[in-house]
Amino acid sequence: MAVLGANSYGKAECRLVRVDRDGPHHRLTDLTVSTALAGRLAATHLTGDNTDVLPTDTQKNTVYALARHGVATIEEFGLDLARHFVSGGGAVEQARVTVQRHPWQRLGEHSFARRGDETRLAVVTASAAGAWVVGGLTGLVLLNTTGSEFRGFARDRYTTLPEAADRILATAVDARWRFADLGTGWDGAYDAAHAALVDAFTQTYSRSLQQTLYAMGERVLDAVPQVAEVRLSLPNRHHFLVDLAPFGLDNPGEVYVAADRPYGLIEATVAREGADGPGLAWDWAGRS
């Protein structure tokens, strides 16, 4: 006998660009918004009865309609959307809204240039029991040319990796941090967390990427008291020294090949002692 398990549905990756035209100094907000609704929705799966199904097209329209009233921060916008979807008193009992903000660099009063792949994000979940907010970022690419080693690791019959006393350490940070409450200065918290991640990476002598990850998570908790826990995913972007001996050349740590795959992937949560709440495991499983 089959039993319906956990389920949700929504509209993925609604592209939204808002231009604030208060005077000649325009402000550009570029977002990707995804919604996911859950609740008493078994009937549509089991019998095809759509009575309680709010169409995903309606969810998309709601994103644009609420954007007409302004987008202050992505956390606030996500809260407005999530609370809207659970306020109707229908079958929807929980709403999760994921908002990604794409960075643009100002060139003039009304001119902009897209700035790299680094993306700020927020994941907001609301239900009758309350709401919680997860902030974060993706695509923060960091590299140290020295100050990193990897030695003393376990070996077995298949180990061929030599020890490295001095190596390039590079990664593309994917981070999520859960706020303990909603009374938070969102922009200030993001700026502080971002700076903490960068400072910890650059200032930590790394004996392993795991050690660096923990230092980065700990630094975020120190810098942002409102954060209860931070989850980090750090791919190890390997740089291998090229053997130039066949060409009669030495290579004193100057010429490398940057390998894109396979790569090591280090993931962990660093939590404030005694922190309670929903935790980040649910969020990480879906990479939302």
Side-chain angles (χ1 to χ4, degrees), residues 24 30 54 62 79 120 146 158 166 175 214 242 247 249 261 277:
D30 183 356
L54 183 71
T62 304
L79 278 167
R120 176 177 172 178
T146 190
Y158 299 116
D166 186 17
Y214 184 81
V242 178
F247 318 118
L249 299 171
R261 62 195 63 183

Side-chain angles (χ1 to χ4, degrees), residues 24 30 47 83 100 123 131 140 148 153 192 226 255 265 276:
D30 183 356
T47 68
R83 286 167 170 164
Q100 297 170 278
V123 183
L140 171 60
S148 173
F153 46 83
Q226 309 96 311
V255 180
L265 181 61
D276 57 5

